Amino acid sequence: MQQALSSLDPTQQQQLLVAGSAVAVGGLLTCYYWVYQGTKTKRIPIGDGWWGAGEKPQSEDEKVFPFQVQTSDEEIQDLYDRIDRTRYTEPLEDTGFQYGFNSTYLKKVVSHWRHQFNWKKQIAILNKYPQFKTNIEGLDVHFIHVRPPHREGQRVLPLMLVHGWPGSVYEFYRILPLLTNSLDSLAFEVICPSIPGYGFSEAPHKQGFDTLAAARVFHKLMERLGFSDYYLQGGDWGSIITTNMAQMKPECVKGLHLNMLTNKLRGFGVLFSILIGRYLPWLVGFTREDVRRLFGSVGFMERNFYEIIRETGYLHIQGTKPDSAGCGVNDSPVGLAAYILEKFSTWTDFNNRDLEDGGLERKFTLDDLLTNIMIYWTTGSIVSSMRFYKENLKTNIDNRLDNHTGVYVPTGLAAFPNEVRHVPQSWARDRFRNIYSYSYMPRGGHFAAFEEPQLLADDLLQFVKKVEKL
C-alpha cells in the first residue's frame, strides 16, 4: 500500500486523501442519518377545527350542492371602469422583468383584457366541468369533480389534485382530460378543491388556518364523497397540503405524487453533500443532472441562496403583513394582474426576467392567464390567499410536527428543470421514505399542470402503475 501511494504524484495523493476522508465522514453521517430517522414519528394528529363565523353549531350541514361560476354586466363594467382609470409608471430602460412586471408589456396585457378578453366565454369554459360546494368546519369548500366516461375493462382510481399560490383550480383544466378521458387501461376520477380562502372556496373567519387544517378539511371532503383511499397530487402549497394529508392519514393515501419538493438546507448530510457533491457526486448520491441543476455555471450559493432571496420578497410581505399589501391589489385589477402574472413569468423560467414581455406567452395564452386573474378578482380572494402565508409562517416552523414526521406512503417525485429550487432524490429521502419513482422532467417549471400537462400526466400515470403493479 505504501509503495502504491509513493508512486502517485502529490496532487493525486491529496485527491486520494480527500476522497478517503470524505468516505469516512460519509460513513459516520450515514450511521447518524439512520439512527436519527428511527426517532421520527410516522403520522401527525388529525385534530379538528372550526373556521366559520361565530361559534360552532351543534351539528354541521353535510349536504353537497352544485355550483356554477356566474357574472353580471355590472361586474364586468366595474372592471372596465377600474382598468380605464389605471395610472402607469414608465419602466426603467433595458430592465425587462428585473424590477418586476414591465409596465410597457403590462399595457399590452391590459389592452387585451379590456378589448379582446371575453369573461362570459371563459365562464362557460370554467363551467364545463361539474362543480360543487359543501360546508366543512364552517367553510363552504368549492371543488371540481370529474368522472371518466365508462370504458369496458378500464380501471378507475380516485385522485385529488391540489393547487397553490397564485394559482387556482383553473391550472388543471388542461390536464383533466388527459387524466379522466384516457384510452389507457387506467383512468382517474378527479377531485380538485379550491383551498379555503382561494377562488370559490370561502375564506376562514378565524386565525390559524394552515396547511394542516387544509389537509384535514380535504380528507373530510374525500370521506364525504365516499372515498376511503385515494391518490394525491400537488405542487406549490398543494405539495405541502397533500404531504400533510399523507402524514395525517397514511391509511387513506394510496400514493402521493408531487411536482414541487421541499427540504431543509441544513443537517450534516445536506451540508456534506453541498461541499463535496460537485466533485464526488457519487459519494453523496448525486447524479450528473443533480450537479447541473444544483450548481450550474454560477455555483450553489448563487443558484440556491441569492436567487431565492431575490425571488421571495413576496413571501416576507405575505408572511408578515398580508392585509397591507393586499389592500392595494384587491382594489386595482391592473395591480392584481401585475402582482400575480410576474410569478407566472419568473417561476416558469428565471431567464424570463431578461425579457421585456417576461416570456409569458411562450407557455400560456393571455386568455388563460387572465382567467386565473379573474377568479381572484371576482371573488375578492387575493387577501385571504396571501394570509395563508402568515398562518403557515407565524409560528416557529421547527416546532411544527409535520416537519419532524416522515412520509411513508408510496411517493412519486417529478423534478422539473425550471422549478424554483432543485431537490435531489438523496435529499428527498430524508422525508419521503418510500419513493417509487423520481423523474428528471425534460422541461417545465413551477406551474407544471398549466405549463406541461402531458408530461405531468404521463409521469403521474407511470407512478400509479408502479404502485398498482400494473
Side-chain angles (χ1 to χ4, degrees):
M1 175 66 73
Q2 187 174 4
Q3 189 175 12
L5 286 173
S6 63
S7 66
L8 301 174
D9 63 46
T11 300
Q12 290 174 320
Q13 291 180 16
Q14 187 176 23
Q15 289 176 339
L16 187 61
L17 179 62
V18 170
S21 301
V23 170
V25 174
L28 290 172
L29 292 174
T30 300
C31 292
Y32 168 82
Y33 172 82
W34 288 112
V35 170
Y36 171 71
Q37 287 298 328
T39 66
K40 286 194 171 184
T41 58
K42 293 193 174 184
R43 64 191 304 146
I44 55 180
I46 297 173
D48 202 2
W50 175 260
W51 311 102
E55 296 297 319
K56 182 178 180 179
Q58 294 294 320
S59 61
E60 294 184 51
D61 184 355
E62 297 189 357
K63 289 197 300 290
V64 176
F65 51 93
F67 170 82
Q68 282 203 322
V69 184
Q70 297 180 339
T71 190
S72 65
D73 291 338
E74 291 76 16
E75 181 178 65
I76 295 172
Q77 188 58 51
D78 176 69
L79 170 71
Y80 290 165
D81 291 344
R82 290 169 183 265
I83 286 176
D84 291 340
R85 292 196 300 269
T86 300
R87 182 174 61 179
Y88 295 93
T89 300
E90 289 302 310
L92 296 172
E93 296 177 2
D94 304 319
T95 54
F97 267 50
Q98 294 286 354
Y99 281 67
F101 205 106
N102 186 290
S103 57
T104 299
Y105 180 65
L106 180 60
K107 292 175 183 177
K108 176 189 173 182
V109 173
V110 172
S111 177
H112 180 90
W113 196 1
R114 178 66 173 84
H115 301 292
Q116 282 86 45
F117 179 79
N118 187 330
W119 178 225
K120 290 182 178 180
K121 176 184 174 184
Q122 295 306 114
I123 283 179
I125 294 173
L126 285 170
N127 286 333
K128 74 177 181 179
Y129 293 120
Q131 300 180 65
F132 304 88
K133 285 190 176 185
T134 187
N135 195 276
I136 302 175
E137 297 190 6
L139 301 176
D140 283 341
V141 177
H142 164 264
F143 63 97
I144 295 169
H145 188 175
V146 185
R147 295 178 172 88
H150 175 73
R151 287 192 171 91
E152 194 68 36
Q154 188 178 61
R155 190 173 179 189
V156 177
L157 297 171
L159 167 69
M160 175 178 279
L161 304 177
V162 184
H163 67 89
W165 188 91
S168 64
V169 291
Y170 187 63
E171 289 181 68
F172 300 126
Y173 270 56
R174 293 174 64 192
I175 198 173
L176 277 171
L178 304 177
L179 298 174
T180 60
N181 200 15
S182 169
L183 297 177
D184 196 275
S185 60
L186 185 64
F188 296 97
E189 180 175 350
V190 182
I191 296 88
C192 304
S194 295
I195 300 171
Y198 287 69
F200 306 113
S201 279
E202 185 179 356
H205 297 266
K206 294 174 171 60
Q207 298 181 45
F209 188 91
D210 56 11
T211 60
L212 298 174
R216 183 179 61 249
V217 165
F218 290 166
H219 269 309
K220 289 182 177 181
L221 171 62
M222 294 300 276
E223 181 181 351
R224 189 168 296 180
L225 295 177
F227 299 110
S228 59
D229 51 25
Y230 32 87
Y231 284 88
L232 302 172
Q233 202 289 323
D236 195 83
W237 280 123
S239 74
I240 301 175
I241 293 169
T242 53
T243 296
N244 289 162
M245 292 176 74
Q247 294 169 311
M248 193 173 283
K249 296 184 73 173
E251 69 277 9
C252 294
V253 179
K254 299 188 73 175
L256 171 68
H257 187 273
L258 306 175
N259 60 271
M260 188 190 83
L261 318 181
T262 58
N263 81 306
K264 298 176 183 178
L265 284 178
R266 67 183 193 191
F268 293 126
V270 171
L271 293 176
F272 177 69
S273 62
I274 292 172
L275 291 173
I276 207 74
R278 190 170 195 170
Y279 310 101
L280 298 169
W282 54 270
L283 187 63
V284 293
F286 285 177
T287 65
R288 289 184 179 180
E289 185 63 15
D290 289 326
V291 173
R292 188 186 72 80
R293 295 188 184 188
L294 281 174
F295 300 94
S297 59
V298 295
F300 184 86
M301 291 295 291
E302 174 67 25
R303 180 68 183 85
N304 294 274
F305 284 98
Y306 301 132
E307 283 282 29
I308 300 301
I309 290 172
R310 278 192 283 268
E311 294 304 325
T312 52
Y314 80 98
L315 187 150
H316 297 287
I317 292 171
Q318 295 176 189
T320 53
K321 302 294 177 63
D323 287 27
S324 297
C327 181
V329 289
N330 191 54
D331 189 60
S332 167
V334 175
L336 178 67
Y339 192 65
I340 288 180
L341 294 185
E342 183 266 319
K343 303 307 177 194
F344 280 90
S345 166
T346 305
W347 294 354
T348 300
D349 188 339
F350 280 178
N351 292 322
N352 286 342
R353 292 174 301 195
D354 297 325
L355 306 175
E356 187 172 295
D357 66 356
L360 273 174
E361 294 176 73
R362 293 182 174 186
K363 286 290 184 77
F364 314 109
T365 67
L366 289 182
D367 278 358
D368 280 342
L369 292 169
L370 289 169
T371 298
N372 183 62
I373 299 299
M374 286 296 287
I375 290 174
Y376 279 91
W377 176 255
T378 57
T379 59
S381 60
I382 185 61
V383 176
S384 52
S385 74
M386 292 163 68
R387 287 174 182 163
F388 199 52
Y389 284 80
K390 185 172 179 66
E391 303 299 2
N392 282 286
L393 298 176
K394 68 182 181 182
T395 56
N396 187 339
I397 294 176
D398 284 342
N399 290 337
R400 280 182 49 143
L401 186 57
D402 57 315
N403 285 316
H404 299 277
T405 303
V407 178
Y408 294 87
V409 305
T411 303
L413 306 174
F416 283 82
N418 292 330
E419 180 56 274
V420 176
R421 191 167 71 84
H422 177 64
V423 177
Q425 183 174 354
S426 58
W427 290 358
R429 288 196 196 103
D430 178 60
R431 169 174 266 192
F432 302 100
R433 307 306 308 282
N434 193 11
I435 297 176
Y436 269 58
S437 71
Y438 182 100
S439 305
Y440 296 96
M441 308 305 287
R443 61 185 180 275
H446 186 70
F447 303 98
F450 212 20
E451 297 176 51
E452 300 290 347
Q454 188 68 61
L455 286 179
L456 185 62
D458 289 345
D459 195 71
L460 174 59
L461 186 62
Q462 65 83 24
F463 160 68
V464 172
K465 284 184 173 181
K466 284 183 180 179
V467 177
E468 299 289 327
K469 296 181 171 60
L470 297 178

